[in-house]
């Protein structure tokens, strides 16, 4: 998993939104977050700077809420994990062919970045894997 700039976030690489709004979750991220096929996927809002969203689970979001003093995350929608994949719910404005940068965000969810400084830096790294 490369780190694009010193002191910056770690990335797993790119994912491309498929025709059915399906995205592949990079295998190392799948293992890191303990996602399971058939489990509920919780989609939460990304930052204002990076846009996009993060994907978590009921268990991980409950841990996050507890740590944040009961303050919940801004949930955008839900889905079900497939086999190292998930379908993005219709509430999230993405179109097939959109390229998202997968970023190790926190221990509570995998981030999918749509814009901003880290996205721009990643564009300068053609060696990043595309899933």
């Amino acid at each position: 998993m490369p780190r694009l700039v010193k002191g910056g976030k770690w990335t797993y690489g790119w994912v491309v939104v498929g025709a059915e709004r399906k995205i592949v979750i990079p295998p190392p991220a799948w293992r890191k977050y303990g996602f399971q096929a058939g489990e509920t996927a919780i989609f939460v809002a990304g930052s204002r700077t990076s846009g996009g969203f993060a994907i978590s689970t009921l268990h991980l979001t409950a841990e996050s809420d507890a740590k944040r003093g009961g303050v919940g995350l801004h949930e955008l929608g839900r889905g079900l994990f497939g086999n190292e994949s998930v379908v993005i719910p219709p509430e999230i404005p993405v179109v097939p062919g959109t390229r998202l940068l997968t970023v190790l965000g926190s221990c509570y969810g995998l981030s999918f970045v749509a814009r901003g400084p880290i996205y721009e830096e990643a564009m300068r790294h053609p060696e990043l894997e595309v899933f």
Side-chain angles (χ1 to χ4, degrees), residues 4-99:
L4 300 179
V5 294
K6 185 176 182 179
K9 296 198 179 241
W10 297 91
T11 180
Y12 292 97
W14 297 101
V15 297
V16 178
V17 179
E20 303 294 320
R21 299 174 58 87
K22 181 178 179 179
I23 53 174
V24 172
I25 297 175
W30 182 266
R31 292 187 298 275
K32 159 103 174 102
Y33 291 99
F35 298 148
Q36 299 292 317
E39 181 178 33
T40 299
I42 308 293
F43 291 77
V44 297
S47 74
R48 288 186 181 142
T49 302
S50 63
F53 54 88
I55 297 177
S56 191
T57 64
L58 292 170
H59 173 74
L60 292 174
T61 55
E63 283 183 25
S64 173
D65 291 351
K67 187 172 184 178
R68 296 163 39 122
V71 177
L73 300 169
H74 179 209
E75 185 177 320
L76 300 173
R78 294 184 178 203
L80 287 177
F81 286 109
N83 185 22
E84 294 187 353
S85 66
V86 68
V87 174
I88 301 170
E91 299 88 355
I92 299 175
V94 296
V95 295
T98 300
R99 186 177 249 209

XYZ file of all heavy atoms in Angstrom, residues 4-99:
718
model
N 1.492 8.372 -0.812
C 1.780 9.254 -1.937
C 2.768 10.364 -1.612
O 3.576 10.736 -2.441
C 0.485 9.852 -2.482
C -0.533 8.829 -2.985
C -1.777 9.530 -3.474
C 0.064 7.954 -4.069
N 2.672 10.911 -0.422
C 3.595 11.971 0.004
C 3.977 11.718 1.454
O 3.211 11.132 2.210
C 2.980 13.389 -0.141
C 2.752 13.743 -1.588
C 1.708 13.528 0.652
N 5.154 12.151 1.828
C 5.610 11.975 3.196
C 4.605 12.625 4.154
O 4.211 13.776 3.963
C 6.995 12.600 3.373
C 7.586 12.346 4.725
C 8.979 12.891 4.836
C 9.534 12.549 6.222
N 10.888 13.036 6.387
N 4.170 11.853 5.136
C 3.190 12.353 6.091
C 1.762 12.294 5.593
O 0.836 12.656 6.306
N 1.575 11.825 4.365
C 0.238 11.758 3.782
C -0.465 10.445 4.085
O 0.068 9.570 4.751
N -1.672 10.334 3.571
C -2.465 9.129 3.786
C -1.990 7.986 2.894
O -1.425 8.196 1.842
C -3.933 9.426 3.517
C -4.487 10.446 4.487
C -5.985 10.410 4.492
C -6.503 11.407 5.488
N -7.260 10.838 6.533
N -2.268 6.786 3.348
C -1.953 5.577 2.588
C -3.106 5.283 1.644
O -4.266 5.499 1.979
C -1.758 4.403 3.535
C -0.605 4.575 4.461
C -0.624 5.138 5.703
C 0.748 4.200 4.219
N 0.635 5.129 6.249
C 1.502 4.549 5.357
C 1.407 3.604 3.149
C 2.859 4.324 5.454
C 2.759 3.370 3.262
C 3.473 3.731 4.400
N -2.796 4.770 0.470
C -3.831 4.441 -0.504
C -3.695 2.990 -0.951
O -2.603 2.429 -0.964
C -3.769 5.381 -1.725
O -4.807 4.998 -2.638
C -2.439 5.327 -2.433
N -4.823 2.406 -1.301
C -4.826 1.052 -1.857
C -4.773 1.089 -3.382
O -4.455 0.108 -4.013
C -6.090 0.300 -1.420
C -6.127 0.007 0.056
C -6.822 0.834 0.933
C -5.472 -1.095 0.595
C -6.869 0.556 2.295
C -5.514 -1.373 1.948
C -6.209 -0.542 2.789
O -6.246 -0.809 4.134
N -5.146 2.218 -3.968
C -5.202 2.357 -5.416
C -6.564 2.886 -5.841
O -7.317 3.434 -5.047
N -6.846 2.724 -7.127
C -8.081 3.239 -7.727
C -9.146 2.151 -7.846
O -8.822 0.989 -8.058
C -7.807 3.743 -9.135
C -6.855 4.883 -9.211
C -5.532 4.816 -9.544
C -7.129 6.258 -8.970
N -4.972 6.066 -9.524
C -5.929 6.981 -9.172
C -8.279 6.962 -8.603
C -5.848 8.359 -9.029
C -8.192 8.335 -8.457
C -6.999 9.018 -8.670
N -10.405 2.558 -7.763
C -11.516 1.689 -8.153
C -12.340 2.469 -9.174
O -12.387 3.701 -9.138
C -12.407 1.242 -6.968
C -11.624 0.409 -5.990
C -13.069 2.406 -6.275
N -12.951 1.746 -10.084
C -13.788 2.362 -11.109
C -15.212 1.861 -10.905
O -15.445 0.651 -10.775
C -13.277 2.011 -12.524
C -14.174 2.615 -13.588
C -11.836 2.478 -12.694
N -16.162 2.789 -10.860
C -17.563 2.431 -10.677
C -18.040 1.697 -11.927
O -17.918 2.202 -13.042
C -18.426 3.684 -10.414
C -19.900 3.303 -10.258
C -17.922 4.443 -9.189
N -18.569 0.492 -11.724
C -19.049 -0.332 -12.829
C -20.436 0.059 -13.301
O -21.109 0.922 -12.718
N -20.889 -0.600 -14.364
C -22.171 -0.285 -15.005
C -23.349 -0.401 -14.044
O -24.306 0.352 -14.141
C -22.387 -1.193 -16.211
N -23.292 -1.310 -13.115
C -24.384 -1.510 -12.152
C -24.096 -0.796 -10.835
O -24.650 -1.163 -9.804
C -24.591 -3.012 -11.908
C -24.884 -3.810 -13.155
C -26.212 -3.436 -13.791
O -27.186 -3.203 -13.049
O -26.271 -3.376 -15.034
N -23.172 0.217 -10.863
C -22.752 0.978 -9.681
C -21.958 0.115 -8.696
O -21.827 0.434 -7.529
C -23.950 1.645 -8.993
C -24.677 2.626 -9.894
C -25.938 3.173 -9.274
N -25.730 3.845 -8.016
C -25.407 5.135 -7.870
N -25.236 5.886 -8.939
N -25.265 5.660 -6.683
N -21.431 -0.969 -9.192
C -20.648 -1.892 -8.359
C -19.190 -1.447 -8.331
O -18.640 -1.035 -9.360
C -20.740 -3.300 -8.937
C -20.004 -4.355 -8.156
C -20.215 -5.715 -8.810
C -19.503 -6.812 -8.097
N -19.752 -8.114 -8.744
N -18.576 -1.525 -7.148
C -17.148 -1.253 -7.025
C -16.482 -2.436 -6.340
O -17.075 -3.102 -5.491
C -16.852 0.042 -6.229
C -17.540 0.050 -4.877
C -17.183 1.266 -7.054
C -17.160 1.228 -3.986
N -15.263 -2.679 -6.743
C -14.433 -3.703 -6.123
C -13.752 -3.075 -4.922
O -13.306 -1.930 -4.986
C -13.377 -4.231 -7.128
C -12.384 -5.145 -6.456
C -14.070 -4.918 -8.290
N -13.667 -3.814 -3.852
C -12.926 -3.353 -2.678
C -11.567 -4.048 -2.723
O -11.514 -5.281 -2.792
C -13.686 -3.673 -1.388
C -15.014 -2.904 -1.416
C -12.843 -3.319 -0.161
C -15.934 -3.194 -0.290
N -10.486 -3.281 -2.733
C -9.159 -3.901 -2.809
C -8.998 -4.983 -1.729
O -9.359 -4.755 -0.565
C -8.202 -2.732 -2.572
C -8.969 -1.535 -3.059
C -10.397 -1.815 -2.665
N -8.509 -6.177 -2.107
C -8.391 -7.275 -1.144
C -7.701 -6.918 0.178
O -8.196 -7.321 1.242
C -7.631 -8.355 -1.923
C -8.033 -8.096 -3.346
C -8.122 -6.598 -3.455
N -6.595 -6.133 0.172
C -6.005 -5.798 1.481
C -6.958 -4.969 2.360
O -6.984 -5.129 3.571
C -4.760 -4.980 1.123
C -4.452 -5.328 -0.288
C -5.763 -5.636 -0.931
N -7.753 -4.096 1.746
C -8.722 -3.298 2.507
C -9.854 -4.181 3.014
O -10.319 -4.035 4.146
C -9.279 -2.179 1.634
N -10.298 -5.108 2.193
C -11.347 -6.054 2.580
C -10.938 -6.787 3.860
O -11.718 -6.898 4.806
C -11.579 -7.036 1.432
C -12.655 -8.044 1.664
C -12.495 -9.311 2.163
C -14.046 -7.898 1.402
N -13.702 -9.946 2.223
C -14.667 -9.106 1.762
C -14.817 -6.867 0.891
C -16.046 -9.310 1.636
C -16.182 -7.069 0.762
C -16.783 -8.281 1.129
N -9.694 -7.246 3.878
C -9.185 -7.961 5.058
C -9.006 -7.022 6.253
O -9.373 -7.368 7.375
C -7.877 -8.665 4.734
C -8.046 -9.835 3.756
C -6.772 -10.624 3.574
N -5.676 -9.847 3.007
C -5.483 -9.647 1.704
N -6.309 -10.173 0.835
N -4.458 -8.935 1.283
N -8.451 -5.842 6.019
C -8.170 -4.892 7.099
C -9.432 -4.531 7.877
O -9.432 -4.482 9.095
C -7.535 -3.618 6.524
C -7.655 -2.395 7.406
C -6.389 -2.078 8.118
C -6.478 -0.775 8.887
N -6.667 -0.943 10.297
N -10.514 -4.260 7.152
C -11.750 -3.836 7.801
C -12.656 -5.009 8.189
O -13.680 -4.798 8.827
C -12.499 -2.844 6.909
C -11.759 -1.532 6.812
C -10.955 -1.247 5.712
C -11.819 -0.597 7.833
C -10.254 -0.057 5.631
C -11.120 0.597 7.764
C -10.337 0.859 6.658
O -9.634 2.029 6.593
N -12.283 -6.210 7.810
C -13.050 -7.390 8.185
C -14.412 -7.478 7.530
O -15.341 -8.063 8.085
N -14.554 -6.903 6.326
C -15.828 -6.976 5.613
C -16.153 -8.434 5.282
O -15.258 -9.245 5.035
C -15.775 -6.166 4.319
C -15.528 -4.684 4.508
C -14.817 -3.967 3.559
C -16.010 -3.993 5.606
C -14.596 -2.601 3.696
C -15.799 -2.626 5.760
C -15.085 -1.930 4.803
N -17.445 -8.753 5.249
C -17.906 -10.105 4.947
C -19.028 -10.041 3.911
O -19.913 -9.177 4.010
C -18.446 -10.788 6.213
C -17.432 -10.945 7.329
C -16.342 -11.935 6.974
O -16.607 -12.999 6.414
N -15.108 -11.586 7.287
N -18.996 -10.949 2.932
C -20.072 -11.029 1.941
C -21.397 -11.249 2.674
O -21.470 -12.032 3.621
C -19.800 -12.149 0.953
N -22.438 -10.523 2.260
C -23.757 -10.618 2.869
C -23.970 -9.668 4.037
O -25.098 -9.484 4.493
N -22.899 -9.042 4.524
C -22.977 -8.101 5.639
C -23.495 -6.742 5.135
O -23.263 -6.366 3.991
C -21.570 -7.952 6.229
C -21.443 -7.030 7.405
C -20.020 -7.000 7.952
O -19.052 -7.146 7.173
O -19.882 -6.811 9.163
N -24.171 -5.995 5.999
C -24.657 -4.659 5.647
C -23.490 -3.690 5.527
O -22.632 -3.619 6.405
C -25.646 -4.143 6.707
O -26.760 -5.033 6.763
C -26.132 -2.742 6.380
N -23.478 -2.956 4.427
C -22.482 -1.913 4.196
C -23.135 -0.574 4.498
O -24.218 -0.272 3.996
C -22.005 -1.946 2.742
N -22.476 0.227 5.340
C -22.958 1.554 5.688
C -22.119 2.569 4.916
O -20.895 2.565 5.019
C -22.820 1.831 7.202
C -23.445 0.711 8.027
C -23.382 3.202 7.550
C -24.934 0.593 7.915
N -22.764 3.435 4.152
C -22.079 4.471 3.385
C -22.222 5.787 4.139
O -23.350 6.187 4.459
C -22.691 4.601 1.988
C -22.427 3.416 1.102
C -23.143 2.239 1.251
C -21.457 3.484 0.112
C -22.897 1.148 0.435
C -21.205 2.398 -0.714
C -21.923 1.224 -0.544
N -21.101 6.420 4.442
C -21.126 7.696 5.159
C -20.440 8.770 4.314
O -19.604 8.463 3.463
C -20.483 7.592 6.563
C -21.267 6.642 7.451
C -19.048 7.175 6.483
N -20.798 10.009 4.574
C -20.273 11.129 3.802
C -18.775 11.294 3.985
O -18.246 11.134 5.085
C -20.984 12.415 4.209
N -18.096 11.636 2.887
C -16.683 11.982 2.934
C -16.525 13.422 3.395
O -17.508 14.117 3.671
N -15.303 13.884 3.447
C -15.055 15.258 3.885
C -15.453 16.250 2.789
O -15.594 15.886 1.623
C -13.588 15.445 4.244
O -12.802 15.501 3.073
N -15.586 17.498 3.152
C -15.906 18.538 2.159
C -14.774 18.689 1.159
O -14.997 18.999 -0.003
C -16.159 19.868 2.862
C -17.453 19.893 3.595
C -17.754 21.268 4.159
N -19.018 21.203 4.879
C -19.250 21.837 5.994
N -18.327 22.598 6.532
N -20.413 21.733 6.578
N -13.557 18.483 1.604
C -12.398 18.640 0.724
C -12.289 17.508 -0.275
O -12.074 17.734 -1.459
C -11.102 18.707 1.557
O -11.199 19.795 2.459
C -9.883 18.883 0.666
N -12.440 16.271 0.202
C -12.200 15.111 -0.673
C -13.451 14.558 -1.320
O -13.373 13.749 -2.241
C -11.494 14.002 0.103
O -12.317 13.540 1.150
N -14.625 14.958 -0.849
C -15.859 14.432 -1.413
C -15.939 12.932 -1.233
O -15.324 12.370 -0.337
N -16.672 12.285 -2.090
C -16.768 10.840 -2.021
C -17.512 10.362 -0.789
O -18.427 11.020 -0.298
N -17.087 9.216 -0.292
C -17.774 8.576 0.824
C -16.828 7.583 1.475
O -15.732 7.331 0.989
C -19.040 7.862 0.323
C -18.784 6.892 -0.802
C -18.450 5.576 -0.558
C -18.861 7.316 -2.116
C -18.200 4.688 -1.602
C -18.617 6.442 -3.170
C -18.284 5.126 -2.901
N -17.275 7.034 2.584
C -16.563 5.943 3.241
C -17.546 4.799 3.406
O -18.759 5.008 3.451
C -16.013 6.374 4.599
N -16.993 3.583 3.474
C -17.822 2.403 3.692
C -17.407 1.780 5.016
O -16.225 1.616 5.302
C -17.644 1.369 2.559
C -18.106 1.946 1.233
C -18.425 0.102 2.879
C -17.884 1.006 0.063
N -18.432 1.435 5.795
C -18.197 0.823 7.095
C -19.214 -0.300 7.290
O -19.922 -0.666 6.354
C -18.320 1.889 8.190
O -17.861 1.394 9.423
N -19.278 -0.805 8.506
C -20.231 -1.854 8.867
C -21.019 -1.387 10.081
O -20.655 -0.408 10.738
C -19.499 -3.166 9.218
O -18.693 -2.932 10.384
C -18.647 -3.664 8.067
N -22.085 -2.084 10.407
C -22.870 -1.743 11.591
C -21.998 -1.774 12.839
O -22.063 -0.886 13.678
C -24.056 -2.698 11.725
C -25.137 -2.572 10.649
C -26.124 -3.731 10.741
C -25.851 -1.246 10.750
N -21.177 -2.800 12.946
C -20.299 -2.951 14.110
C -19.298 -1.802 14.200
O -19.126 -1.198 15.258
C -19.572 -4.302 14.033
C -18.525 -4.486 15.079
N -18.820 -4.725 16.387
C -17.178 -4.437 15.000
C -17.701 -4.817 17.089
N -16.685 -4.652 16.257
N -18.637 -1.491 13.095
C -17.618 -0.440 13.114
C -18.229 0.943 13.340
O -17.646 1.776 14.043
C -16.803 -0.454 11.820
C -15.898 -1.667 11.620
C -15.258 -1.645 10.231
C -14.833 -1.737 12.704
N -19.415 1.213 12.778
C -20.030 2.520 13.007
C -20.500 2.649 14.450
O -20.444 3.741 15.021
C -21.188 2.815 12.036
O -22.145 1.759 12.114
C -20.711 2.978 10.624
N -20.938 1.555 15.064
C -21.320 1.596 16.482
C -20.105 1.930 17.342
O -20.200 2.727 18.283
C -21.939 0.270 16.909
N -18.951 1.337 17.017
C -17.713 1.657 17.748
C -17.355 3.127 17.574
O -16.974 3.796 18.536
C -16.554 0.798 17.238
C -16.554 -0.614 17.734
C -15.325 -1.377 17.234
O -14.295 -0.757 16.927
O -15.421 -2.617 17.166
N -17.474 3.633 16.354
C -17.163 5.033 16.067
C -18.098 5.965 16.842
O -17.656 6.941 17.448
C -17.272 5.313 14.573
O -17.130 6.689 14.305
N -19.397 5.654 16.827
C -20.374 6.476 17.545
C -20.057 6.510 19.033
O -20.125 7.564 19.669
C -21.793 5.948 17.332
C -22.294 6.131 15.912
O -21.616 6.820 15.117
O -23.358 5.562 15.593
N -19.705 5.350 19.604
C -19.380 5.281 21.034
C -18.154 6.138 21.344
O -18.125 6.868 22.338
C -19.148 3.833 21.449
N -17.158 6.059 20.494
C -15.935 6.834 20.715
C -16.212 8.331 20.585
O -15.582 9.149 21.252
C -14.853 6.404 19.729
C -13.509 7.048 19.999
C -12.431 6.466 19.126
C -11.096 7.078 19.500
N -10.014 6.513 18.731
N -17.160 8.699 19.730
C -17.482 10.108 19.487
C -18.559 10.618 20.446
O -19.167 11.648 20.211
C -17.936 10.287 18.047
C -16.850 9.974 17.046
C -17.399 9.745 15.645
N -18.477 10.649 15.296
C -18.460 11.466 14.258
N -17.430 11.482 13.459
N -19.480 12.249 14.004
N -18.821 9.868 21.510
C -19.807 10.305 22.502
C -21.239 10.221 22.025
O -22.078 11.026 22.404
N -21.527 9.241 21.183
C -22.889 9.050 20.695
C -23.248 9.882 19.481
O -24.359 9.812 18.980
N -22.312 10.696 19.003
C -22.562 11.505 17.816
C -22.376 10.618 16.592
O -21.287 10.114 16.338
C -21.596 12.714 17.749
C -21.815 13.496 16.467
C -21.771 13.594 18.969
N -23.441 10.397 15.860
C -23.387 9.512 14.710
C -22.748 10.164 13.489
O -22.628 11.385 13.394
N -22.331 9.321 12.560
C -21.787 9.788 11.291
C -22.948 10.113 10.347
O -24.059 9.619 10.530
C -20.902 8.700 10.677
C -19.706 8.277 11.524
C -19.064 7.028 10.942
C -18.699 9.398 11.612
N -22.704 10.922 9.327
C -23.744 11.280 8.353
C -23.921 10.127 7.368
O -23.181 10.012 6.401
C -23.379 12.575 7.640
C -24.392 12.981 6.631
N -24.072 13.695 5.523
C -25.725 12.759 6.551
C -25.164 13.891 4.800
N -26.168 13.333 5.401
N -24.901 9.289 7.644
C -25.145 8.127 6.786
C -25.813 8.557 5.489
O -26.789 9.303 5.490
C -26.020 7.110 7.520
C -26.218 5.837 6.740
C -27.022 4.789 7.489
O -26.825 4.623 8.707
O -27.843 4.135 6.823
N -25.270 8.056 4.379
C -25.806 8.361 3.055
C -26.711 7.266 2.517
O -27.584 7.513 1.692
C -24.663 8.587 2.060
C -23.704 9.727 2.377
C -22.544 9.712 1.389
C -24.428 11.055 2.338
N -26.473 6.039 2.935
C -27.240 4.915 2.438
C -26.645 3.610 2.906
O -25.615 3.584 3.591
N -27.293 2.522 2.519
C -26.853 1.184 2.902
C -26.890 0.251 1.702
O -27.592 0.496 0.737
C -27.735 0.605 4.015
C -27.610 1.371 5.314
C -28.405 0.729 6.412
N -28.202 1.497 7.651
C -28.380 1.010 8.847
N -28.780 -0.243 9.000
N -28.175 1.754 9.911
N -26.136 -0.828 1.817
C -26.121 -1.865 0.802
C -25.656 -3.156 1.425
O -25.532 -3.262 2.645
N -25.386 -4.134 0.588
C -24.855 -5.415 1.055
C -23.526 -5.669 0.371
O -23.382 -5.455 -0.830
C -25.814 -6.561 0.730
C -27.088 -6.649 1.541
C -27.951 -7.803 1.031
C -26.803 -6.826 3.025
N -22.574 -6.148 1.158
C -21.294 -6.529 0.579
C -21.476 -7.800 -0.239
O -22.187 -8.714 0.165
C -20.254 -6.803 1.676
C -19.736 -5.564 2.354
C -20.089 -5.263 3.653
C -18.881 -4.705 1.675
C -19.605 -4.129 4.281
C -18.393 -3.563 2.291
C -18.760 -3.268 3.603
N -20.835 -7.820 -1.409
C -20.749 -9.026 -2.216
C -19.410 -9.682 -1.905
O -18.867 -9.526 -0.810
N -18.836 -10.351 -2.871
C -17.528 -10.972 -2.711
C -16.456 -9.944 -3.072
O -16.190 -9.721 -4.246
C -17.423 -12.218 -3.596
C -16.134 -12.962 -3.361
O -15.502 -12.821 -2.313
N -15.717 -13.745 -4.337
N -15.892 -9.296 -2.049
C -14.906 -8.219 -2.225
C -15.440 -7.109 -3.126
O -14.718 -6.507 -3.915
C -13.564 -8.755 -2.715
C -12.883 -9.637 -1.687
C -11.475 -10.054 -2.050
O -11.010 -9.782 -3.174
O -10.827 -10.673 -1.194
N -16.734 -6.830 -2.982
C -17.376 -5.784 -3.772
C -18.606 -5.274 -3.036
O -19.046 -5.865 -2.051
C -17.781 -6.325 -5.148
O -18.791 -7.300 -5.003
N -19.143 -4.167 -3.549
C -20.381 -3.615 -3.010
C -21.012 -2.759 -4.110
O -20.311 -2.216 -4.961
C -20.115 -2.791 -1.722
C -19.342 -1.517 -2.012
C -21.390 -2.503 -0.963
N -22.326 -2.664 -4.084
C -23.050 -1.803 -5.017
C -23.354 -0.498 -4.288
O -23.883 -0.504 -3.175
C -24.346 -2.478 -5.515
C -25.157 -1.517 -6.376
C -24.011 -3.747 -6.291
N -23.012 0.614 -4.915
C -23.237 1.932 -4.328
C -24.727 2.247 -4.397
O -25.336 2.150 -5.464
C -22.422 3.005 -5.079
C -20.925 2.667 -5.013
C -22.688 4.388 -4.510
C -20.063 3.531 -5.912
N -25.327 2.645 -3.265
C -26.763 2.939 -3.278
C -27.089 4.165 -4.137
O -26.233 5.028 -4.346
C -27.100 3.193 -1.798
C -25.819 3.419 -1.105
C -24.736 2.808 -1.935
N -28.322 4.239 -4.629
C -28.705 5.331 -5.535
C -28.640 6.720 -4.907
O -28.567 7.716 -5.630
C -30.137 4.980 -5.951
C -30.614 3.977 -4.970
C -29.402 3.289 -4.419
N -28.643 6.810 -3.586
C -28.584 8.110 -2.912
C -27.237 8.809 -3.110
O -27.118 10.010 -2.891
C -28.815 7.961 -1.396
C -30.152 7.384 -1.010
C -30.183 5.864 -0.948
O -29.186 5.200 -1.297
O -31.233 5.334 -0.552
N -26.230 8.055 -3.509
C -24.888 8.614 -3.679
C -24.693 8.978 -5.147
O -24.809 8.131 -6.026
C -23.809 7.627 -3.189
C -24.021 7.362 -1.703
C -22.410 8.175 -3.460
C -23.108 6.329 -1.115
N -24.381 10.248 -5.427
C -24.290 10.715 -6.816
C -22.971 10.340 -7.507
O -22.045 11.136 -7.569
C -24.437 12.230 -6.681
C -23.869 12.541 -5.330
C -24.189 11.350 -4.478
N -22.923 9.122 -8.006
C -21.787 8.696 -8.833
C -22.345 8.073 -10.100
O -23.471 7.593 -10.119
C -20.849 7.685 -8.128
C -20.184 8.285 -6.923
C -21.575 6.417 -7.763
N -21.550 8.095 -11.154
C -21.962 7.489 -12.414
C -20.950 6.417 -12.806
O -19.781 6.487 -12.410
C -22.090 8.542 -13.543
C -23.200 9.531 -13.226
C -20.794 9.277 -13.756
N -21.389 5.419 -13.559
C -20.450 4.412 -14.034
C -19.269 5.060 -14.746
O -19.412 6.050 -15.459
C -21.295 3.566 -14.991
C -22.686 3.699 -14.450
C -22.765 5.134 -13.979
N -18.096 4.508 -14.499
C -16.872 5.029 -15.085
C -16.127 5.985 -14.167
O -14.970 6.322 -14.419
N -16.788 6.449 -13.100
C -16.129 7.342 -12.140
C -14.965 6.614 -11.484
O -15.083 5.462 -11.086
C -17.122 7.807 -11.053
O -18.188 8.512 -11.667
C -16.436 8.690 -10.021
N -13.856 7.310 -11.378
C -12.649 6.749 -10.748
C -12.530 7.337 -9.347
O -12.547 8.550 -9.167
C -11.435 7.117 -11.591
C -10.158 6.493 -11.137
C -9.064 6.885 -12.090
N -8.680 5.703 -12.820
C -7.491 5.497 -13.303
N -6.557 6.419 -13.208
N -7.201 4.385 -13.923
